Amino acid sequence: NNAALGEQWDFANTSDIRDNDFAKKVIDCNVIGTINLTEQLLPYLADDGKIVIVSSDLGKLSYQGQRIQRALSKECSRQDIIDLVEDYLSSCQQKDLNGWSIQSYHASKALINAYVRHVLSKLVKETQQAIAVHPGWCKSDMGGSNAPKSAEDGANAILYCVYGIPSVSYTHLTLPTIYSVQISVVAVSLKKK
């Protein structure tokens, strides 16, 4: 499940909230859309299936303030995630981020990582897996031409998650270099079979 909306100006933004409409579009695509699609498809997932959500290292909690780090670190329900989405959008509208990253993309990926870690991990069956993966900064319309990795490298990282991860439990994992790509799994629930 790869939902991503981001802009170069947002990644470089360090001083102001430029566009509330943009923040809502990013959250709607990267968080709400991802959650809704995942949950609609979940009943059709094979008993040994995997849900691989493309995330980003930009969703690390260290990019958020302490209040948000605490909120996303503790056990969260789906409703808690939705409430945090509303908190973020309200903070953007009020021009007071109150612990949220100034970059909408960063906030959206932190939210989706928490969803995978705290919610989706409980929705999958014991024989299924839920993974949020950072495939690397790749050349693309969103990643730009300065990205160090090719789109093919990013695709290979995702394919490794689909076909190559063993069934064990992790909270954060850096996988070996595959196809010249260092893969970082940022949120995962891999249950023992």
Side-chain angles (χ1 to χ4, degrees), residues 6 10 15 25 27 30 44 54 70 79 81 92 100 103 107 132-133 138-139 146 154 158 165-166 169 177 181 188:
D10 183 47
S15 61
K25 286 177 188 174
I27 293 296
N30 299 5
Y44 304 102
V54 179
R70 283 191 302 273
Q79 188 57 52
I81 299 293
C92 287
W100 287 102
Q103 296 90 359
V133 62
C138 301
K139 288 178 176 65
N146 292 329
I158 296 162
I165 292 182
S169 296
T177 301
V181 177
V188 65

Side-chain angles (χ1 to χ4, degrees), residues 8-193:
Q8 291 298 321
W9 64 259
D10 183 47
F11 299 138
N13 187 12
T14 59
S15 61
D16 66 336
I17 306 164
R18 298 181 188 192
D19 190 337
N20 288 337
D21 291 336
F22 176 75
K24 179 149 179 38
K25 286 177 188 174
V26 169
I27 293 296
D28 283 347
C29 178
N30 299 5
V31 182
I32 302 301
T34 300
I35 290 171
N36 289 342
L37 177 63
T38 299
E39 291 180 1
Q40 288 297 310
L41 295 176
L42 195 56
Y44 304 102
L45 188 65
D47 285 341
D48 63 346
K50 295 179 184 179
I51 298 171
V52 178
I53 293 178
V54 179
S55 186
S56 174
D57 271 352
L58 296 175
K60 287 181 181 176
L61 292 179
S62 59
Y63 288 110
Q64 307 302 319
Q66 288 185 353
R67 181 181 79 88
I68 302 308
Q69 287 180 24
R70 283 191 302 273
L72 294 176
S73 294
K74 68 178 186 163
E75 198 61 33
C76 296
S77 68
R78 183 186 197 280
Q79 188 57 52
D80 292 333
I81 299 293
I82 299 303
D83 290 347
L84 286 165
V85 163
E86 293 303 321
D87 180 82
Y88 173 72
L89 294 174
S90 174
S91 294
C92 287
Q93 188 172 19
Q94 296 171 20
K95 305 281 190 202
D96 178 7
L97 289 173
N98 195 17
W100 287 102
S101 168
I102 195 143
Q103 296 90 359
S104 298
Y105 185 84
H106 295 50
S108 74
K109 293 303 182 175
L111 285 160
I112 206 63
N113 290 346
Y115 170 78
V116 171
R117 194 171 45 252
H118 299 300
V119 180
L120 189 56
S121 64
K122 292 172 183 60
L123 296 177
V124 296
K125 298 176 185 175
E126 287 293 320
T127 56
Q128 296 172 329
Q129 299 174 359
I131 303 164
V133 62
H134 166 66
W137 179 22
C138 301
K139 288 178 176 65
S140 65
D141 288 345
M142 187 170 62
S145 60
N146 292 329
K149 298 177 181 176
S150 70
E152 292 78 16
D153 287 339
N156 285 331
I158 296 162
L159 288 172
Y160 181 78
C161 288
V162 172
Y163 297 111
I165 292 182
S167 297
V168 293
S169 296
Y170 301 98
T171 55
H172 188 275
L173 166 71
T174 299
L175 299 171
T177 301
I178 305 293
Y179 304 109
S180 302
V181 177
Q182 184 67 43
I183 305 167
S184 178
V185 177
V186 292
V188 65
S189 169
L190 304 177
K191 299 181 179 182
K192 292 189 183 235
K193 291 185 180 179

